[in-house]
Amino acid sequence: MSQGVRRAGAGQGAAAAVQLLVTLSFLRSVVEAQVTGVLDDCLCDIDSIDNFNTYKIFPKIKKLQERDYFRYYKVNLKRPCPFWAEDGHCSIKDCHVEPCPESKIPVGIKAGYSNKYLKMANSTKELEDCEQANKLGAINSTLSNQSKEAFIDWARYDDSRDHFCELDDERSPAAQYVDLLLNPERYTGYKGTSAWRVWNSIYEENCFKPRSVYRPLNPLAPSRGEDDGESFYTWLEGLCLEKRVFYKLISGLHASINLHLCANYLLEETWGKPSWGPNIKEFKRRFDPVETKGEGPRRLKNLYFLYLIELRALSKVAPYFERSIVDLYTGNAEEDADTKTLLLNIFQDTKSFPMHFDEKSMFAGDKKGAKSLKEEFRLHFKNISRIMDCVGCDKCRLWGKLQTQGLGTALKILFSEKEIQKLPENSPSKGFQLTRQEIVALLNAFGRLSTSIRDLQNFKVLLQHSR
């Protein structure tokens, strides 16, 4: 063999070895190298969020979710899908939601007063009920049934102008209390056409996206050759900040839900006893940069972006709960006081975070255009909350409704800064109000995001051990 041939062979061997090292290095970076650095559209780095969440937020929010005030959520899982004929509910047993027996609900919660956290409400409810009955009696004597229904619809519409979500009517006979601790979010086996149609409707019809721009990994999109979704991201970067934010919020919510399913996967079932735990294969299928053609790390970055948005909302709404009039009422005075102390402690932590998202950068153009865009933003998100009634799996519907309502409440808070600043100390505010349903959804939704980021850290460790 000539020296030139030997040199060429050695060069090819070295190149192959280098290529192998590069490939192995790339695989090691499934999470580490690609989900790091500063997030787009804000000045916050991922490592700072990880540390803040691990050491300050996660232990406290987990404890808060176990308190009676936050563990019972009233929801209507029987509302019909408003957009298409339903395929029928999932028959898989893990899709089932067990409603809470009336006897288990704390007396202060099952009283059914939607603003049951104000001390004034707790002490004057009977008087208000009598006054309300008299008012309704006066209305009943002068209005036809059709007019009364129109009046109620008008009042409900007037009250919902600042809502980003379609709220369940807690007075509906179909609305039931659910113990969130006994119905945890985890893998149920719900998939296929029904599940895909829900997410496709959310992305394709509500994310300000023209149909000519194809979402990456959309199974119904025509072949795009070597595009790999880059035209989508070129389009996305060309959007205004508000529309980019909207997409990232939805993508981040989707990523968070997928992480919950991967972290609480049905690993095996022996003699009717299921074993739940993290599924590395499922995690890689949904987030590995190779298997998702680079989409996975983008989705995980959007999870961090969503976390920042809800973190900012909690820091902004703190003054609302710091007032002496606010009492997280369940009927157990000692526990209620401890719950409020813990909640205020969490708020203090959220206010201490040094790199918050600046919501003032949104809707900052000319007043007329900004107002129109904000209303469009609100209505698009409200539509997504209605799509949650099309989810065929009850457990998926429960957690989908709660997390969209939580995010919707966060958006309502971020765009109500002036009203929150004007809150009276010792009386209810007409300018800004939260129902108990919104409060429970807000804190549990943020708790889910905090758990997602913690689960992501666990998957990093598991991936290192699996090599």
Side-chain angles (χ1 to χ4, degrees):
M1 183 182 293
S2 70
Q3 189 175 359
V5 172
R6 283 199 303 272
R7 190 176 292 120
Q12 290 172 353
V18 169
Q19 182 61 45
L20 178 60
L21 287 172
V22 169
T23 302
L24 289 173
S25 175
F26 181 70
L27 290 173
R28 282 198 299 272
S29 69
V30 167
V31 176
E32 292 95 323
Q34 297 211 11
V35 189
T36 57
V38 177
L39 294 172
D40 296 334
D41 292 322
C42 58
L43 299 174
C44 183
D45 66 281
I46 285 174
D47 287 344
S48 295
I49 299 174
D50 282 339
N51 290 330
F52 180 77
N53 183 67
T54 298
Y55 298 110
K56 287 211 167 187
I57 295 296
F58 179 75
K60 293 176 184 176
I61 198 77
K62 189 172 185 295
K63 188 182 293 185
L64 187 76
Q65 289 175 285
E66 295 170 356
R67 297 298 176 94
D68 281 355
Y69 188 88
F70 290 99
R71 70 183 287 181
Y72 297 106
Y73 179 63
K74 197 166 190 180
V75 62
N76 184 353
L77 298 175
K78 298 179 180 178
R79 285 177 63 166
C81 172
F83 300 108
W84 57 75
E86 295 182 75
D87 303 322
H89 278 1
C90 175
S91 58
I92 302 171
K93 66 176 181 178
D94 294 316
C95 287
H96 176 68
V97 169
E98 188 65 43
C100 197
E102 187 78 10
S103 59
K104 297 288 186 181
I105 307 296
V107 63
I109 293 178
K110 67 183 176 184
Y113 191 55
S114 63
N115 291 330
K116 200 68 175 175
Y117 56 86
L118 296 178
K119 288 183 178 177
M120 182 178 292
N122 300 335
S123 62
T124 63
K125 183 179 184 298
E126 289 79 9
L127 179 61
E128 289 176 354
D129 284 346
C130 291
E131 290 177 351
Q132 185 68 14
N134 290 334
K135 289 177 182 177
L136 288 174
I139 292 172
N140 288 343
S141 65
T142 57
L143 298 178
S144 66
N145 286 335
Q146 187 175 5
S147 297
K148 281 184 286 185
E149 289 176 7
F151 178 84
I152 292 169
D153 286 343
W154 170 82
R156 190 176 296 148
Y157 168 77
D158 187 59
D159 184 51
S160 68
R161 285 178 300 175
D162 62 343
H163 288 161
F164 281 75
C165 280
E166 185 83 18
L167 301 180
D168 282 348
D169 183 356
E170 294 188 69
R171 298 165 296 181
S172 168
Q176 293 179 300
Y177 282 103
V178 173
D179 185 336
L180 298 174
L181 297 182
L182 297 181
N183 292 275
E185 184 181 21
R186 58 192 179 194
Y187 183 81
T188 64
Y190 175 62
K191 55 187 176 181
T193 304
S194 176
W196 178 84
R197 181 162 56 174
V198 168
W199 284 111
N200 191 64
S201 178
I202 289 171
Y203 282 113
E204 299 297 320
E205 298 168 21
N206 294 279
C207 281
F208 301 96
K209 191 184 76 60
R211 292 187 180 276
S212 58
V213 177
Y214 297 111
R215 189 164 42 96
L217 302 183
N218 182 340
L220 295 190
S223 175
R224 301 185 302 276
E226 300 299 316
D227 181 14
D228 281 344
E230 284 308 311
S231 62
F232 173 85
Y233 288 103
T234 300
W235 163 80
L236 187 65
E237 289 306 310
L239 288 179
C240 64
L241 171 65
E242 293 81 3
K243 293 182 179 180
R244 284 202 309 274
V245 165
F246 192 97
Y247 173 79
K248 289 179 180 181
L249 295 180
I250 301 308
S251 174
L253 178 61
H254 197 179
S256 181
I257 290 172
N258 280 336
L259 259 171
H260 303 153
L261 307 187
C262 295
N264 289 281
Y265 200 92
L266 180 59
L267 301 177
E268 62 179 356
E269 188 165 5
T270 308
W271 300 102
K273 293 184 178 181
S275 173
W276 303 89
N279 186 319
I280 297 177
K281 184 177 179 181
E282 187 69 19
F283 175 82
K284 293 179 73 174
R285 185 180 75 81
R286 294 175 188 264
F287 297 109
D288 184 285
V290 176
E291 295 195 32
T292 63
K293 298 182 179 179
E295 272 295 291
R298 278 176 162 138
R299 294 168 181 169
L300 292 173
K301 282 190 174 183
N302 291 336
L303 160 64
Y304 281 94
F305 186 80
L306 173 59
Y307 180 93
L308 278 184
I309 292 290
E310 295 200 13
L311 180 71
R312 178 62 164 170
L314 291 182
S315 72
K316 286 287 189 181
V317 81
Y320 183 82
F321 291 93
E322 288 167 351
R323 298 176 299 160
S324 59
I325 191 176
V326 174
D327 179 25
L328 303 176
Y329 186 73
T330 66
N332 183 329
E334 186 177 350
E335 180 172 319
D336 293 348
D338 288 344
T339 300
K340 183 174 180 180
T341 299
L342 178 57
L343 179 63
L344 294 183
N345 197 280
I346 292 171
F347 285 143
Q348 283 302 116
D349 286 336
T350 65
K351 288 192 284 188
S352 74
F353 186 71
M355 292 172 282
H356 275 295
F357 174 77
D358 182 11
E359 73 283 354
K360 291 180 182 176
S361 60
M362 295 177 65
F363 310 112
D366 69 280
K367 286 188 177 180
K368 186 176 180 181
K371 185 177 180 181
S372 174
L373 181 59
K374 181 180 176 181
E375 180 63 6
E376 190 178 7
F377 190 101
R378 186 184 73 84
L379 291 176
H380 275 239
F381 193 84
K382 195 168 188 177
N383 209 46
I384 288 174
S385 73
R386 298 178 70 208
I387 293 174
M388 289 299 121
D389 285 318
C390 300
V391 177
C393 160
D394 276 353
K395 188 166 287 184
C396 308
R397 182 183 290 207
L398 163 66
W399 286 101
K401 286 168 77 82
L402 181 142
Q403 289 170 91
T404 51
Q405 186 179 6
L407 175 52
T409 304
L411 294 172
K412 171 182 171 179
I413 291 165
L414 287 179
F415 303 127
S416 302
E417 184 176 20
K418 291 180 181 178
E419 290 80 1
I420 293 174
Q421 289 174 345
K422 296 176 183 176
L423 288 170
E425 172 63 31
N426 295 309
S427 61
S429 166
K430 293 184 179 179
F432 179 83
Q433 195 69 266
L434 291 176
T435 66
R436 179 183 173 275
Q437 191 183 29
E438 289 175 305
I439 295 169
V440 173
L442 174 68
L443 272 301
N444 273 284
F446 184 66
R448 293 276 72 206
L449 296 178
S450 178
T451 300
S452 289
I453 289 178
R454 181 61 182 260
D455 287 340
L456 186 53
Q457 309 314 305
N458 292 339
F459 273 114
K460 287 181 183 181
V461 174
L462 291 172
L463 285 165
Q464 288 173 344
H465 290 168
S466 69
R467 292 179 191 126

